[in-house]
């Protein structure tokens, strides 16, 4: 198992060099692709949340490049079998080694787990017309002086709203918090124009908002994002795990309209086909190298026999 995995890593590395040398296909070169995307997002006007989340896929690609170095380490331990055999004669050194390896995972998992929200669905209906639909999975991180407290948007929270023709409102409330989304509309698009959040906790309460234009979509479409993104509401961070929203729905809309997926989602969806493509390319390169090396060897053998 170790040998094929290291082979694949080697193949990917070869493919990486191969791709850099011959820049025939720009989509295969991941670093340049990422930089162009980030510049695109910085030039695009309103999708501020998309801009926040684009940094995340870049870190995941960074992690995948780090990962091969850790998988390569088992091959170095197999080389150093003589060094691992040596400590078995001295039992004290092996026990100290095991104690030093066990604290490492403990330190990585020591941070207390913040609560994870569930998806809730809400809608605002007036005169048989559902003007607002929302599927939300949200957690609020409230920063206090010495700690962070979490408020999870409950799927059981009740809702109310307003289907007016200029500003539409979705209000989601629980006993100790209230989230209000104000929707606006222009000639071509609908969007969230204000988000307010008020909360009451035993030791703290507050009211925060952000009136930046967010989640714009074409009229009749819905905004969809499954890549976690943050919206800063003063000193509260709204962590959006999943969002699908639509406002200014008409009687024709029986369900969510066509989804316009956020840039971060599209980028995540691109990673798998790109990785598969690189792997296939690497395989082809390895096979070609093996073929030419094999042919040269057989030719050399042929000369020797002659
Ligand atoms: C609105 O929400 C309620 C409760 O979640 C649900 O039962 C109802 O089917 C929804 N209506 C529409 C038109 O989606
Ligand atoms: C709502 O729909 C029902 C059945 O489709 C209909 O009888 C009723 O008149 C409608 N109400 C309004 C205000 O349009
Ligand atoms: C958050 O900021 C508001 C004013 O901007 C302040 O009144 C409130 O105490 C702050 N809350 C915390 C938890 O720091
Ligand atoms: C929501 O309500 C259901 C039924 O009343 C209950 O089983 C569930 O635990 C509630 N969920 C939350 C997050 O309060
Ligand atoms: C909003 O609706 C009112 C009546 O309900 C109407 O008089 C007004 O022109 C509408 N405004 C727009 C911008 O459509
Ligand atoms: C957003 O809501 C807050 C709180 O209600 C309000 O103070 C602010 O003026 C609103 N912003 C806009 C652009 O309406
Ligand atoms: C509002 O949200 C945007 C996008 O997340 C952020 O850039 C901005 O700083 C926020 N404003 C406030 C006052 O929190």
């Amino acid at each position: 198992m170790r040998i094929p995995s290291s082979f694949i890593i080697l193949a990917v590395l070869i493919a990486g060099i191969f791709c850099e040398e011959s820049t025939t296909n720009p989509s295969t070169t991941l670093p340049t692709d990422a930089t162009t995307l980030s510049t695109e997002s910085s030039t695009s006007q309103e999708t501020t949340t998309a801009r926040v989340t684009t940094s995340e896929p870049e870190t995941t690609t960074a992690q995948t490049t780090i990962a091969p170095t850790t998988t390569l380490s088992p091959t170095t331990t197999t080389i150093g079998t003589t060094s691992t055999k040596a400590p078995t004669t001295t039992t004290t050194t092996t026990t100290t080694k095991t104690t030093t390896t066990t604290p490492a995972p403990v330190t990585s998992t020591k941070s207390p787990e913040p609560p994870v929200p569930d998806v809730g669905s809400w809608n605002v209906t007036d005169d048989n017309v559902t003007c607002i639909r929302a599927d939300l999975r949200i957690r609020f991180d409230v920063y206090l002086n010495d700690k962070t407290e979490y408020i999870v948007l409950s799927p059981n929270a009740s809702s109310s709203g307003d289907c007016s023709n200029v500003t539409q409102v979705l209000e989601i409330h629980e006993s100790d918090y209230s989230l209000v989304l104000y929707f606006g509309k222009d000639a071509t698009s609908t969007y969230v124009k204000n988000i307010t959040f008020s909360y009451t906790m035993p030791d703290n309460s507050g009211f925060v908002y952000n009136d930046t234009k967010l989640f714009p979509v074409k009229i009749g479409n819905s905004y969809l994002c499954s890549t976690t993104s943050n919206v800063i509401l003063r000193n509260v961070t709204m962590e959006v795990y999943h969002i699908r929203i639509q406002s200014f729905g008409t009687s024709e809309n029986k369900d969510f309209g066509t989804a316009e997926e956020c840039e971060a989602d599209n980028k995540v969806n691109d990673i798998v086909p790109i990785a598969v493509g690189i792997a296939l390319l690497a395989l082809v390169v390895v096979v070609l190298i093996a073929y030419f090396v094999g042919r040269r060897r057989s030719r050399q053998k042929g000369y020797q026999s002659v």
Side-chain angles (χ1 to χ4, degrees), residues 191-255:
Y191 49 87
V192 172
K193 64 178 182 183
N194 206 350
I195 299 174
T196 70
F197 180 66
S198 59
Y199 57 94
T200 315
M201 291 191 289
D203 51 352
N204 180 52
S205 67
F207 174 77
V208 290
Y209 70 94
N210 187 324
D211 52 16
T212 310
K213 188 174 168 182
L214 291 169
F215 316 131
V217 287
K218 202 170 143 280
I219 291 171
N221 287 358
S222 59
Y223 178 88
L224 172 64
C225 198
S226 298
T227 307
T228 306
S229 65
N230 292 345
V231 178
I232 310 297
L233 310 167
R234 310 293 161 187
N235 45 21
V236 175
T237 297
M238 181 169 107
E239 282 199 67
V240 183
Y241 285 72
H242 174 85
I243 184 170
R244 185 160 187 192
I245 47 165
Q246 180 162 12
S247 58
F248 295 94
T250 60
S251 51
E252 286 100 70
N253 301 125
K254 295 294 167 226
D255 200 351

Side-chain angles (χ1 to χ4, degrees), residues 53-184:
T53 48
T54 45
S55 58
E56 286 183 1
E58 279 170 40
T59 51
T60 50
T61 49
Q63 281 174 338
T64 47
T65 47
I66 294 156
T69 51
T70 50
T71 46
L72 277 170
S73 56
T75 51
T76 51
T77 49
T78 48
I79 296 157
T81 42
T82 48
S83 59
T84 48
K85 275 177 183 174
T88 49
T89 49
T90 52
T91 47
T92 45
T93 48
T94 48
T95 48
T96 48
K97 269 184 181 176
T98 49
T99 46
T100 47
T101 48
T102 44
V106 173
T107 48
S108 61
T109 53
K110 70 171 183 183
S111 56
E113 293 262 318
V116 175
D118 292 325
V119 179
S121 292
W122 295 274
N123 56 38
V124 180
T125 302
D126 187 19
D127 279 351
N128 286 353
V129 175
T130 299
C131 68
I132 299 172
R133 285 187 170 82
D135 288 352
L136 301 171
R137 195 172 158 223
I138 290 174
R139 186 180 72 206
F140 297 93
D141 304 349
V142 181
Y143 300 111
L144 303 175
N145 292 327
D146 51 344
K147 61 179 189 289
T148 304
E149 287 188 354
Y150 302 99
I151 296 173
V152 167
L153 188 68
S154 169
N156 292 345
S158 53
S159 68
S160 57
D162 186 350
C163 281
S164 311
N165 51 10
V166 178
T167 298
Q168 297 194 338
V169 183
L170 168 64
E171 193 177 339
I172 299 169
H173 30 80
E174 263 291 340
S175 56
D176 50 354
Y177 60 85
S178 169
L179 169 70
V180 185
L181 301 177
Y182 294 88
F183 296 88

Side-chain angles (χ1 to χ4, degrees), residues 26-30 33 267 269-280:
S27 64
T28 50
T29 53
L30 270 166
D33 193 35
K267 212 174 168 188
N269 294 344
D270 282 350
I271 285 169
V272 171
I274 287 170
V276 168
I278 288 171
L280 284 174

